[in-house]
Amino acid sequence: MAWPCTFDTERLRAEYLRAEHLPELRRMHADPIVMRHLGGVFSEEKTQAYMARGLAHWDAHRLGVWIVYERGSDDPIGRAVLRHLHLDGYGEIETGYAFYQPYWGRGFATEITRACLTLGFEQLHCVSIVAVTTPENTASQHVLYKCGFTLDRHFERDGETLMLFRVMRPGYSASSA
Ligand SMILES: CC(C)(COP(=O)(O)OP(=O)(O)OC[C@H]1O[C@@H](n2cnc3c(N)ncnc32)[C@H](O)[C@@H]1OP(=O)(O)O)[C@@H](O)C(=O)NCCC(=O)NCCS
């Protein structure tokens, strides 16, 4: 448990994904508001597959999905992601986030993303970290800009056009990567 399997920010606590979180995954995946830009609500089969991939990713890399709580509470309010992504033949580290609607607009996505960037840059020594959004998800794009990301490019996945954002390690530029 040396690696931050669990970590705190000023207002949030993040716990690494475990099998006991399956009801929480089901709850988020059934929420059409949260899932609007994440491929829509998931079937039970898709949630089981997400859990299996998430657990395998943790076993292999000590990275993946964290369930997020307000500090001092045991009620999940969202999730954070820091994981490997293979894109166009390159290995990247991707960050991501999702919160239930009552918790939007309080800076939580920004706060957890900044913490994930600190983990990525200071502990994993990443040169850059990426994030993926749909073009319609302007709130998510705003979070990314606030956290220092810039648009890297558009790309296609499963017939959908997506936006790839990137933030460089402090002191690095894209040309020094
Ligand atoms: C996207 C999401 C994570 C943002 O979470 P959040 O905790 O509300 O984000 P923050 O409060 O840190 O920041 C949101 C910023 O976007 C702004 N914003 C909100 N709605 C917006 C919109 N439709 N377009 C542009 N900006 C918007 C807010 O004003 C805020 O900016 P500010 O701090 O400068 O005022 C949240 O809406 C969510 O969980 N959505 C569902 C899951 C999802 O889409 N995840 C991202 C997948 S890429």
Side-chain angles (χ1 to χ4, degrees):
M1 292 274 286
W3 167 253
C5 297
T6 299
F7 64 90
D8 287 348
T9 64
E10 189 186 337
R11 295 175 294 169
L12 304 173
R13 184 177 92 254
E15 277 183 10
Y16 75 106
L17 184 72
R18 302 189 294 284
E20 69 213 52
H21 292 129
L22 184 60
E24 168 50 27
L25 287 193
R26 283 194 185 112
R27 182 169 79 109
M28 182 169 275
H29 290 168
D31 185 325
I33 298 172
V34 179
M35 300 305 289
R36 180 167 165 223
H37 298 293
L38 293 170
V41 297
F42 279 19
S43 63
E44 174 64 19
E45 192 183 13
K46 215 167 157 184
T47 294
Q48 294 277 357
Y50 183 98
M51 175 59 98
R53 275 199 313 276
L55 294 178
H57 204 88
W58 262 105
D59 281 348
H61 305 292
R62 311 282 285 163
L63 280 180
V65 175
W66 284 261
I67 303 297
V68 177
Y69 307 79
E70 284 187 271
R71 283 174 69 170
S73 164
D74 289 327
D75 299 326
I77 63 166
R79 73 177 64 157
V81 170
L82 193 65
R83 67 185 165 207
H84 289 267
L85 170 73
H86 294 283
L87 190 61
D88 299 338
Y90 290 94
E92 306 273 13
I93 296 288
E94 174 192 25
T95 193
Y97 36 74
F99 287 88
Y100 292 104
Q101 190 181 30
Y103 300 94
W104 293 0
R106 293 169 58 184
F108 286 156
T110 304
E111 185 169 320
I112 206 71
T113 299
R114 287 183 174 145
C116 285
L117 295 184
T118 299
L119 286 181
F121 290 134
E122 293 185 6
Q123 307 223 23
L124 299 175
H125 308 291
C126 297
V127 171
S128 74
I129 294 174
V130 300
V132 175
T133 73
T134 60
E136 297 76 25
N137 199 347
T138 48
S140 179
Q141 290 158 33
H142 193 75
V143 170
L144 295 173
Y145 288 125
K146 279 201 296 180
C147 293
F149 286 79
T150 56
L151 179 62
D152 188 278
R153 63 182 184 274
H154 288 79
F155 70 102
E156 302 284 321
R157 186 163 66 194
D158 301 331
E160 189 181 16
T161 301
L162 297 170
M163 299 168 83
L164 184 78
F165 285 81
R166 184 181 302 278
V167 61
M168 301 302 298
R169 180 185 177 82
Y172 280 61
S173 65
S175 57
S176 60

